Amino acid sequence: TTLRAYNFNAGPAAVPLPVLEQAQKELVNFKNTGMSVMELSHRSKEYEEVHNRAITLLRELMNIPDTYEVLFLQGGGSLQFSMIPMNFLQEGKTAHYILSGAWSEKALKEAKDFGETRVLASSKDANYTHIPTDYSLEDIKDGAYLHITTNNTIYGTQWNEYPTSPIPLIADMSSDILFKEIDVEKFSLIYAGAQKNLGPSGVTVVIIKKDFLETARTNVPTMLSYSTYAENNSLYNTPPTFAIYMLSLVLEWVKEQGGVKSIQKNNEEKAKYIYDAIDNSEGFYKAHATEDSRSLMNITFTLPNEELTKKFLQEAKERQFIGLAGHRSVGGCRASTYNAVPKEACEALANFMTEFKNQN
Amino acid sequence: TTLRAYNFNAGPAAVPLPVLEQAQKELVNFKNTGMSVMELSHRSKEYEEVHNRAITLLRELMNIPDTYEVLFLQGGGSLQFSMIPMNFLQEGKTAHYILSGAWSEKALKEAKDFGETRVLASSKDANYTHIPTDYSLEDIKDGAYLHITTNNTIYGTQWNEYPTSPIPLIADMSSDILFKEIDVEKFSLIYAGAQKNLGPSGVTVVIIKKDFLETARTNVPTMLSYSTYAENNSLYNTPPTFAIYMLSLVLEWVKEQGGVKSIQKNNEEKAKYIYDAIDNSEGFYKAHATEDSRSLMNITFTLPNEELTKKFLQEAKERQFIGLAGHRSVGGCRASTYNAVPKEACEALANFMTEFKNQN
Ligand SMILES: Cc1ncc(COP(=O)(O)O)c(C=O)c1O
Ligand SMILES: Cc1ncc(COP(=O)(O)O)c(C=O)c1O
Ligand SMILES: [Mg+2]
Ligand SMILES: [Mg+2]
Ligand SMILES: [Mg+2]
Ligand SMILES: [Mg+2]
């Protein structure tokens, strides 16, 4: 059997083992073409099948209506921070941002270069321990859009229910896309770098409502205009073909698991192991997030002091637990339990946490 | 032995077989980490070694001085068309473009959105059969930069010697980077999507002179500013880690071949097979490029008529020659003989061409 680490990386992150095995099997000779999938022309029939299969699967798994486009871009979530205001922050309008963590702040910062912005709500003063609830959607009626970050990778908080926004709702779902069933129609634009729940880094998925796309500014450079991707099935220029291929395999895997509903059930069970280890530790472990805002994707917690934290991380490493150090900006510990992280890994981590607590 | 097609794709294109085999071998378990290379955090020691190895190898192979940065971006050559003027077309200055094919035209088109541009020379009226020579560098002294496309992928022409420009010289080397030894110091900025001579699609290499970088505009979105990449060793956000890994393997392979000098000798021999088949065909095959502008990377040619072209492509396909149809915008045939295309493939193609000519 293959040596597998317990991979709790925050992104790039774990990829399902059967997906890696299939990619390995056909890496040199894809479907008897005598070529690797990465050697195929992006204009070939064989590649277009891979490309369109990824789109079809995402539509099916997320129940995306025909009134939306599914696009593949490059540049990660970070380039979206600029592309969104570049395309949708119209002159004379205001873009509204709800700040729930470091990534929302970065998204806001880029928007400021393109026009008027407003922080509708923020939990910064509470050290981003919860999703802001203290705002009204009444007075944003004329805004360009409302931007939220559905899962806060660094702080370990997550939205439970999404706002019903009177203006186009844009969501950064980089770290929780496809983790549970959602109603896509609440959103005008959803974006996510693939490297957490969807596969490897190098491709960004954008799901955009067609009638919202029609409102985009037109004086945008070709490669930074969403229309370019929509009009060319994301094949205007050479797409990151291998990353899209991996995405297609990950989506096949999600489907084989029984779809997003099953994935969600799994994710709930996985997170429960670890949150239970925290909650039953008599205060040895403390969750960063308040209970109502706990993330099922990134579980952040602290130990009584720096010394114990270091010892915990060291012993974890010796047992092949990878990626448990908290983000350099907040410290502590973080376990990222994305879709591809197996239940066994979470159970093993919970057991180790309890064992470590008992011995320290 | 592995089934291998004769891959003459224009990009994405052939990758060296030993590179694919190594990637396959370690795809599921990279260096005994218990993870695939695509599952590594981009902040991990293991990944940073891969990343820095790619930079070091490119520096070594191309003899890039310390006065230059080597950067990894996303978005392909096409995003560079916009990033260059966005960063370097200063107010009140003019950007000069030499048009040698469809890609130069596209580069120019994007620049027009950012400021003054001028076509210094163009061979469009000659259907881009040659590299323009009819221009003077005297009167561009105050220009922002001079942009050239060193190899014209679609038309099959290539610069032999590069101009000694009085203003910063910028080169799109997407389809011929690393094909022969060049003097990097003639250039202020070189860019290339990896998917022809460097590996898979999804990563763009930029080689930029540090003192030129210092002249860049500052009001540029974070992800579209070259400084962001230079200041963060191309790790400001998540890079396309797997594509960079493949790049590092391709560069190792180039080194094992004896470096760029050996690659160049190979490329000359490879192209000679096919150009000889054209030149010895008594006019059955006609090269699109004039003799002084012939590309060693993309060999473009026509047959006496449409019917024979179709028949040629059909029979070629049956013999596992892939990617020989000319670009949809010019028709005819094109054989792309990038670094990774084996000599045997070129010899086999030349033999087939001669055989086909004799029988038709
Ligand atoms: C919620 C969220 N948004 C955006 C980003 C930035 O993504 P990228 O590194 O792909 O630019 C991240 C990265 O972790 C993230 O977690
Ligand atoms: C010379 C040249 N420049 C730019 C491009 C565009 O590259 P990309 O598809 O990576 O945007 C190409 C693509 O073939 C090319 O050949
Ligand atoms: Mg965060
Ligand atoms: Mg479409
Ligand atoms: Mg061309
Ligand atoms: Mg540097």
Side-chain angles (χ1 to χ4, degrees):
Chain A
T1 65
T2 318
L3 168 72
R4 287 291 276 169
Y6 295 124
N7 187 344
F8 291 99
N9 277 331
V15 172
L17 180 58
V19 164
L20 291 173
E21 286 171 340
Q22 181 172 347
Q24 179 171 49
K25 201 167 123 230
E26 60 195 17
L27 193 85
V28 177
N29 185 5
F30 178 69
K31 295 200 171 166
N32 224 25
T33 54
M35 294 177 275
S36 174
V37 70
M38 72 184 89
E39 299 181 295
L40 299 176
S41 166
H42 58 302
R43 309 275 175 217
S44 67
K45 190 175 58 48
E46 290 86 355
Y47 173 70
E48 287 201 346
E49 261 170 36
V50 169
H51 189 92
N52 291 335
R53 180 78 184 140
I55 295 170
T56 303
L57 279 166
L58 196 67
R59 283 193 178 280
E60 189 181 320
L61 291 166
M62 289 184 71
N63 201 9
I64 302 171
D66 282 347
T67 46
Y68 287 72
E69 297 277 359
V70 173
L71 312 177
F72 299 141
L73 282 75
Q74 296 185 61
S78 300
L79 184 57
Q80 294 308 301
F81 297 164
S82 293
M83 278 182 66
I84 287 162
M86 200 182 286
N87 282 267
F88 295 112
L89 182 39
Q90 309 286 355
E91 189 103 38
K93 291 228 177 182
T94 297
H96 297 264
Y97 283 74
I98 297 183
L99 302 187
S100 52
W103 297 111
S104 332
E105 285 181 22
K106 288 206 172 179
L108 169 69
K109 181 169 171 292
E110 296 301 320
K112 285 181 175 167
D113 290 346
F114 295 94
E116 285 303 313
T117 59
R118 179 178 157 214
V119 176
L120 184 66
S122 169
S123 48
K124 189 179 181 124
D125 287 348
N127 198 17
Y128 292 128
T129 47
H130 64 87
I131 301 296
T133 49
D134 185 21
Y135 58 88
S136 149
L137 296 171
E138 289 295 299
D139 55 332
I140 65 169
K141 288 224 173 67
D142 287 330
Y145 58 79
L146 171 62
H147 182 282
I148 66 171
T149 311
T150 54
N151 184 72
N152 300 284
T153 325
I154 294 176
Y155 293 95
T157 63
Q158 190 172 26
W159 288 71
N160 281 310
E161 276 178 62
Y162 308 120
T164 300
S165 172
I167 59 174
L169 181 61
I170 295 183
D172 177 358
M173 292 197 186
S174 288
S175 53
D176 71 352
I177 190 168
L178 216 62
F179 92 107
K180 74 167 181 184
E181 292 191 311
I182 65 159
D183 179 6
V184 169
E185 292 190 271
K186 284 202 120 174
F187 302 91
S188 291
L189 193 161
I190 292 169
Y191 65 95
Q195 68 269 17
K196 294 149 199 312
N197 264 348
L198 299 178
S201 62
V203 58
T204 309
V205 168
V206 171
I207 301 164
I208 186 168
K209 201 168 182 174
K210 288 175 185 171
D211 63 12
F212 180 56
L213 178 55
E214 274 164 27
T215 70
R217 302 175 78 124
T218 52
N219 55 344
V220 174
T222 309
M223 287 292 293
L224 301 169
S225 159
Y226 294 103
S227 300
T228 300
Y229 299 82
E231 285 163 14
N232 296 281
N233 194 30
S234 303
L235 287 160
Y236 169 77
N237 80 326
T238 319
T241 55
F242 190 78
I244 293 169
Y245 159 74
M246 288 304 301
L247 167 63
S248 78
L249 295 186
V250 169
L251 295 176
E252 294 283 8
W253 174 84
V254 171
K255 188 173 169 170
E256 279 160 22
Q257 303 308 297
V260 181
K261 219 186 189 84
S262 309
I263 291 282
Q264 175 176 355
K265 194 167 152 284
N266 252 348
N267 285 335
E268 283 162 359
E269 289 173 24
K270 283 154 53 184
K272 188 172 186 311
Y273 282 118
I274 301 167
Y275 281 120
D276 279 354
I278 294 171
D279 292 339
N280 298 333
S281 74
E282 295 155 315
F284 184 82
Y285 300 111
K286 282 202 175 65
H288 177 80
T290 59
E291 240 183 283
D292 56 323
S293 294
R294 285 179 168 186
S295 168
L296 294 190
M297 298 281 102
N298 310 97
I299 303 173
T300 47
F301 57 93
T302 52
L303 280 79
N305 57 51
E306 271 301 309
E307 201 186 326
L308 280 169
T309 307
K310 248 176 115 169
K311 191 172 173 210
F312 176 83
L313 290 172
Q314 181 55 39
E315 288 186 22
K317 199 175 160 188
E318 285 157 16
R319 294 167 189 229
Q320 292 283 338
F321 292 104
I322 304 292
L324 290 179
H327 188 272
R328 55 214 148 100
S329 65
V330 298
C333 297
R334 169 176 58 177
S336 298
T337 55
Y338 299 124
N339 289 354
V341 175
K343 210 180 287 184
E344 298 73 56
C346 299
E347 198 178 354
L349 175 59
N351 288 341
F352 166 64
M353 286 171 70
T354 302
E355 192 188 314
F356 184 87
K357 178 231 144 191
N358 289 337
Q359 286 169 3
N360 287 278
Chain B
T1 65
T2 317
L3 168 73
R4 285 294 276 169
Y6 294 124
N7 187 344
F8 291 100
N9 277 331
V15 172
L17 181 58
V19 164
L20 292 173
E21 285 170 341
Q22 182 172 346
Q24 179 172 49
K25 201 167 123 233
E26 61 195 16
L27 192 84
V28 176
N29 184 5
F30 178 70
K31 296 200 171 165
N32 224 25
T33 54
M35 293 176 276
S36 175
V37 70
M38 71 184 91
E39 298 181 294
L40 299 175
S41 167
H42 58 301
R43 309 276 174 216
S44 67
K45 190 174 58 47
E46 290 87 355
Y47 173 71
E48 285 200 348
E49 260 170 37
V50 169
H51 188 92
N52 291 336
R53 180 77 183 139
I55 295 170
T56 303
L57 279 167
L58 196 68
R59 283 194 178 281
E60 188 182 320
L61 291 167
M62 290 184 68
N63 201 10
I64 301 170
D66 283 347
T67 47
Y68 287 73
E69 297 277 0
V70 173
L71 312 177
F72 300 141
L73 282 76
Q74 297 186 62
S78 300
L79 184 58
Q80 295 307 301
F81 297 163
S82 294
M83 278 182 65
I84 287 161
M86 201 182 287
N87 283 266
F88 296 112
L89 182 38
Q90 310 284 356
E91 189 101 37
K93 292 229 177 182
T94 297
H96 297 264
Y97 282 74
I98 297 182
L99 302 188
S100 53
W103 297 109
S104 332
E105 285 182 21
K106 288 204 172 183
L108 170 67
K109 181 170 172 290
E110 296 301 320
K112 286 183 175 166
D113 290 345
F114 295 94
E116 284 303 310
T117 60
R118 179 179 158 214
V119 176
L120 184 66
S122 169
S123 49
K124 188 177 180 126
D125 287 348
N127 198 17
Y128 291 128
T129 48
H130 65 88
I131 300 295
T133 49
D134 184 23
Y135 57 89
S136 150
L137 296 171
E138 288 295 300
D139 54 333
I140 66 169
K141 288 223 173 66
D142 287 331
Y145 58 79
L146 171 62
H147 181 283
I148 66 171
T149 312
T150 54
N151 184 72
N152 301 285
T153 325
I154 293 175
Y155 292 95
T157 64
Q158 189 172 27
W159 288 71
N160 282 311
E161 276 178 61
Y162 309 119
T164 300
S165 171
I167 58 175
L169 182 61
I170 295 183
D172 178 357
M173 294 196 185
S174 289
S175 53
D176 71 353
I177 190 167
L178 215 63
F179 93 107
K180 73 167 182 184
E181 291 191 311
I182 66 160
D183 179 6
V184 169
E185 293 191 270
K186 285 203 117 173
F187 302 90
S188 290
L189 193 160
I190 292 169
Y191 64 97
Q195 68 268 19
K196 293 145 196 319
N197 262 349
L198 299 178
S201 62
V203 58
T204 310
V205 168
V206 170
I207 301 163
I208 186 168
K209 201 169 181 171
K210 288 174 183 170
D211 63 13
F212 180 56
L213 179 55
E214 275 164 26
T215 70
R217 302 175 77 125
T218 51
N219 55 345
V220 173
T222 310
M223 287 291 293
L224 300 170
S225 159
Y226 294 103
S227 301
T228 301
Y229 299 82
E231 285 163 14
N232 295 282
N233 193 29
S234 302
L235 287 160
Y236 168 77
N237 80 325
T238 320
T241 55
F242 190 78
I244 293 170
Y245 159 74
M246 289 302 304
L247 167 62
S248 77
L249 295 186
V250 169
L251 295 176
E252 294 283 8
W253 174 84
V254 171
K255 188 173 170 171
E256 279 161 22
Q257 303 306 298
V260 182
K261 219 188 190 83
S262 307
I263 291 282
Q264 174 175 357
K265 193 166 151 285
N266 251 347
N267 284 335
E268 283 161 359
E269 288 173 23
K270 282 154 54 184
K272 189 171 186 310
Y273 281 119
I274 300 168
Y275 281 121
D276 280 353
I278 294 171
D279 293 340
N280 297 332
S281 73
E282 295 157 313
F284 184 83
Y285 301 109
K286 282 202 176 65
H288 177 80
T290 61
E291 239 183 284
D292 57 323
S293 293
R294 284 180 170 186
S295 168
L296 293 191
M297 298 281 102
N298 311 97
I299 303 174
T300 48
F301 57 93
T302 53
L303 281 80
N305 56 52
E306 271 301 310
E307 201 186 327
L308 279 168
T309 308
K310 247 175 115 170
K311 192 174 172 206
F312 176 84
L313 291 171
Q314 180 55 39
E315 287 186 22
K317 199 173 159 190
E318 284 157 16
R319 293 166 189 229
Q320 292 283 340
F321 293 104
I322 303 292
L324 290 178
H327 188 272
R328 56 215 146 100
S329 65
V330 299
C333 298
R334 170 176 57 176
S336 298
T337 55
Y338 298 124
N339 289 355
V341 175
K343 209 180 287 184
E344 299 72 56
C346 299
E347 198 178 354
L349 175 60
N351 289 340
F352 167 64
M353 286 171 69
T354 303
E355 192 188 312
F356 183 86
K357 178 231 144 193
N358 289 336
Q359 286 169 0
N360 286 278

